[in-house]
């Protein structure tokens, strides 16, 4: 049944004003609702699994600030720890015990890294990891995959041209061609393309970077077999393997995708969950590799606010909860049940929709294909259906990230009642989407 659109009067006013201050009215592009219906919603507060916009509309939130909020919004333990630490000042630019505490929490529970360096965003973590790999191997070229996002650093704002193996074409103005030329782009899940790249650029590739669980261009799940092949190929070529776990780290398990697939990368990047909702990124590796970083090593990397005490406090509080026994099992079971119910509904109705999922991540793909494992597998036309669904869901109090290429996240704060409400809203929305 069609229902009226929610009121966005206040959000629209704020957006008009924001457009006079910020390019496109936003401080990060996808927030602008360009590929979904209506004005972006200005959020006033969040609590648990719910958020409220400036017009007082309430939503069950599956964006979770794009992944960081695995415990939900405004978690008491995180808020209280942050407030406690803030009483003592907010930044010193000198070491604090809190950095040790967060590092200890991570390193003693993660067998894939021995040393870590904290930075302030995922982009910064990736940029630093790339520099480390180049410094370590004394090579310049980087290989990335079409459909993986690694933040907005120059060398990685590069997409594939046509052909099996391509030099990157910049996907942003302002990236020098010379930078893009150092980046090789191949399709995911294509062994031949990878081997050809290593053949074409023998002894030149410093690192292969991959989201082991690609979750920024749909959810392009790779087979363990392919990931192991990638690991072996890198070893054979003296190339470092970087797992960009900015989304998957602490999400599919405390040790992220490395443990999920039991693959040892050479460098791992983190972000999002690690900061409990505050700006934190990190990269880690073996002690031997990490000791190439300044001030012991010759690879320079620094940050005025790196290891910021307030941000460390949020990370400590959040990660402590993730280490509780059964945390991930419960979250994953909850997600699996949710996805299964939607799949059953879709099958019964005969709708062309798949819900891909891993851990507490899910992605709606309007497709008839059984698997989607590379960017090319996604039909851009299918995004029109997502757009229609997004509008119906917003009107029914369900907030998904405003793009069909983005995944959804379930948090520990989502209750059984939340998920029941959401399923009903999804079923009603799909009936409308597919009737059109
Ligand atoms: C979000 C993300 C980044 C960028 O992190 P920011 O904190 O937005 O700079 C990098 N890599 C992956 C895999 C991400 O999901």
């Amino acid at each position: 049944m069609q229902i009226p659109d929610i009121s966005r009067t206040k959000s629209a006013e704020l957006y008009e004003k924001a457009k006079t201050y910020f390019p496109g009215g936003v401080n990060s592009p996808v927030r602008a609702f360009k590929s979904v219906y209506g004005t972006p919603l200005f959020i006033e507060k969040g609590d648990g699994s719910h958020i409220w916009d400036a017009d007082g509309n309430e939503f069950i939130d599956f964006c979770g600030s794009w992944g960081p909020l695995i415990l939900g919004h405004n978690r008491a333990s995180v808020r209280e720890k942050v407030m406690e630490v803030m009483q003592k000042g907010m930044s010193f630019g000198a070491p604090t015990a809190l950095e040790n505490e967060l590092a200890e929490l991570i390193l003693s529970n993660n067998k894939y890294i021995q040393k870590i360096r904290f930075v302030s965003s995922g982009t910064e973590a990736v940029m630093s990891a790339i520099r480390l790999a180049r410094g370590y191997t004394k090579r310049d070229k980087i290989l990335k995959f079409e459909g993986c996002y690694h933040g907005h650093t120059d060398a990685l704002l590069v997409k594939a041209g046509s052909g099996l193996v391509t030099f990157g074409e910049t996907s942003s103005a302002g990236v020098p061609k010379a930078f893009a030329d150092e980046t090789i782009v191949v399709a995911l899940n294509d062994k031949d393309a990878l081997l050809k790249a290593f053949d074409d650029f023998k002894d030149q590739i410093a690192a292969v970077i991959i989201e082991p669980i690609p979750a920024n261009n749909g959810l392009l799940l790779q087979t363990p077999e392919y990931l192991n092949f990638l690991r072996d190929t890198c070893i054979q070529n003296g190339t470092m393997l970087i797992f960009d776990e900015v989304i998957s780290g602490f999400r599919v398990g405390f040790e992220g995708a490395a443990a999920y697939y039991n693959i040892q990368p050479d460098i791992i990047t983190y972000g999002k969950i690690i900061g409990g909702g505050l700006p934190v990124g990190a990269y880690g590796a073996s002690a031997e590799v990490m000791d190439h970083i300044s001030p012991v090593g010759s690879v320079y990397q620094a940050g005025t606010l790196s290891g910021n005490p307030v941000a460390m406090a949020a990370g400590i509080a959040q990660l402590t909860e993730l280490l509780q026994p059964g945390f991930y099992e419960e979250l994953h079971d909850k997600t699996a049940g949710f996805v299964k119910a939607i799949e059953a509904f879709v099958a019964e109705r005969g709708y062309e929709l798949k819900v891909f999922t891993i851990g507490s991540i899910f992605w709606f793909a309007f497709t008839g294909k059984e698997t989607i494992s590379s960017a090319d597998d996604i039909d851009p036309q299918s995004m029109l259906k997502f757009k229609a669904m997004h509008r119906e869901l917003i009107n029914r109090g369900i907030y998904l990230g405003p793009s069909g290429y983005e995944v959804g996240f379930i948090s520990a704060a989502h209750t059984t009642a939340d998920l029941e409400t959401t399923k009903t809203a999804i079923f009603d929305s799909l009936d409308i989407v597919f009737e059109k």
Side-chain angles (χ1 to χ4, degrees):
M1 189 190 56
Q2 198 87 42
I3 59 169
D5 284 330
I6 54 163
S7 160
R8 305 194 195 201
T9 314
K10 289 248 170 60
S11 281
E13 274 171 32
L14 288 165
Y15 188 45
E16 283 313 308
K17 210 163 222 174
K19 280 197 273 191
T20 70
Y21 302 138
F22 315 116
V26 289
N27 286 299
S28 196
V30 74
R31 296 180 195 171
F33 272 47
K34 284 276 182 214
S35 59
V36 293
Y37 172 80
T39 304
L41 301 172
F42 279 62
I43 305 303
E44 207 155 85
K45 65 171 182 176
D47 198 55
S49 57
H50 290 232
I51 53 174
W52 287 261
D53 71 10
D55 289 278
N57 300 305
E58 180 176 353
F59 304 92
I60 303 173
D61 176 34
F62 293 90
C63 178
S65 191
W66 301 101
L69 303 183
I70 193 169
L71 300 176
H73 294 269
N74 199 16
R75 181 77 157 195
S77 60
V78 178
R79 182 183 65 238
E80 279 157 19
K81 178 86 181 165
V82 163
M83 284 167 65
E84 176 201 316
V85 167
M86 272 172 76
Q87 309 296 322
K88 301 190 212 161
M90 288 185 236
S91 181
F92 309 108
T96 66
L98 291 159
E99 290 153 77
N100 284 5
E101 202 182 317
L102 183 55
E104 167 83 23
L105 254 180
I106 296 167
L107 296 175
S108 63
N109 291 290
N110 184 331
K111 58 186 171 299
Y112 298 90
I113 54 172
Q114 293 173 328
K115 280 193 179 178
I116 194 163
R117 173 62 69 84
F118 291 120
V119 293
S120 301
S121 70
T123 294
E124 218 188 318
V126 168
M127 180 189 81
S128 309
I130 297 276
R131 187 179 305 136
L132 173 57
R134 286 172 161 159
Y136 186 88
T137 59
K138 304 193 167 48
R139 297 177 179 180
D140 288 343
K141 293 214 185 306
I142 299 295
L143 185 146
K144 81 174 285 284
F145 296 92
E146 176 80 358
C148 284
Y149 176 70
H150 302 292
H152 64 91
T153 154
D154 280 341
L156 296 168
L157 276 184
V158 163
K159 61 178 193 284
S162 52
L164 191 59
V165 178
T166 60
F167 276 122
E169 289 174 15
T170 66
S171 55
S172 163
V175 176
K177 187 178 171 301
F179 290 14
D181 282 351
E182 298 303 326
T183 306
I184 303 155
V185 186
V186 302
L188 284 161
N189 192 37
D190 184 341
K191 289 183 183 174
D192 291 339
L194 187 75
L195 291 176
K196 182 162 187 325
F198 273 105
D199 215 38
D200 289 356
F201 303 99
K202 196 142 189 58
D203 300 332
Q204 296 174 55
I205 304 176
V208 168
I209 184 166
I210 187 169
E211 288 180 81
I213 296 172
N216 277 290
N217 189 91
L219 182 62
L220 306 174
L221 294 173
Q222 302 298 293
T223 62
E225 198 254 331
Y226 177 75
L227 293 170
N228 277 297
F229 170 79
L230 189 59
R231 172 67 285 187
D232 293 343
T233 307
C234 286
I235 289 172
Q236 283 154 21
N237 287 279
T239 294
M240 295 183 112
L241 177 61
I242 303 173
F243 271 9
D244 181 357
E245 298 228 42
V246 172
I247 280 191
S248 56
F250 309 100
R251 172 59 67 178
V252 296
F254 195 86
E255 297 173 280
Y260 190 93
Y261 294 112
N262 190 26
I263 293 175
Q264 174 69 63
D266 298 296
I267 307 175
I268 309 182
T269 58
Y270 299 103
K272 301 197 167 111
I273 291 175
I274 200 174
L278 290 185
V280 182
Y283 60 106
S286 68
E288 190 263 325
V289 169
M290 286 306 280
D291 283 342
H292 282 67
I293 299 288
S294 180
V296 270
S298 55
V299 177
Y300 190 72
Q301 185 271 307
T304 302
L305 293 174
S306 292
N308 172 270
V310 181
M312 294 292 104
I316 292 164
Q318 175 147 282
L319 298 199
T320 300
E321 290 211 34
L322 306 188
L323 287 167
Q324 296 302 310
F327 176 85
Y328 286 101
E329 286 79 355
E330 194 179 317
L331 187 58
H332 296 175
D333 286 351
K334 192 159 74 176
T335 308
F338 174 71
V339 167
K340 213 170 255 164
I342 299 169
E343 279 174 337
F345 173 81
V346 165
E348 188 230 295
R349 289 285 211 272
Y351 294 154
E352 201 165 85
L353 172 74
K354 291 263 154 22
V355 191
F356 294 101
T357 184
I358 185 168
S360 50
I361 305 174
F362 63 88
W363 178 53
F364 293 110
F366 290 89
T367 181
K369 294 177 185 162
E370 282 307 312
T371 58
I372 291 204
S373 53
S374 76
D376 277 352
D377 290 342
I378 302 174
D379 174 8
Q381 281 305 312
S382 68
M383 294 301 155
L384 294 173
K385 287 218 165 53
F386 178 83
K387 183 176 178 176
M389 180 175 79
H390 191 269
R391 177 179 184 168
E392 296 304 325
L393 286 176
I394 287 283
N395 290 338
R396 288 167 174 78
I398 309 298
Y399 189 92
L400 292 183
S403 160
Y405 290 96
E406 302 288 349
V407 297
F409 299 100
I410 292 191
S411 76
H414 286 97
T415 62
T416 308
D418 286 331
L419 297 179
E420 286 306 315
T421 305
T422 305
K423 279 188 258 175
T424 303
I426 288 174
F427 299 164
D428 292 349
S429 298
L430 288 176
D431 281 343
I432 290 173
V433 169
F434 281 99
E435 182 181 284
K436 281 174 186 160

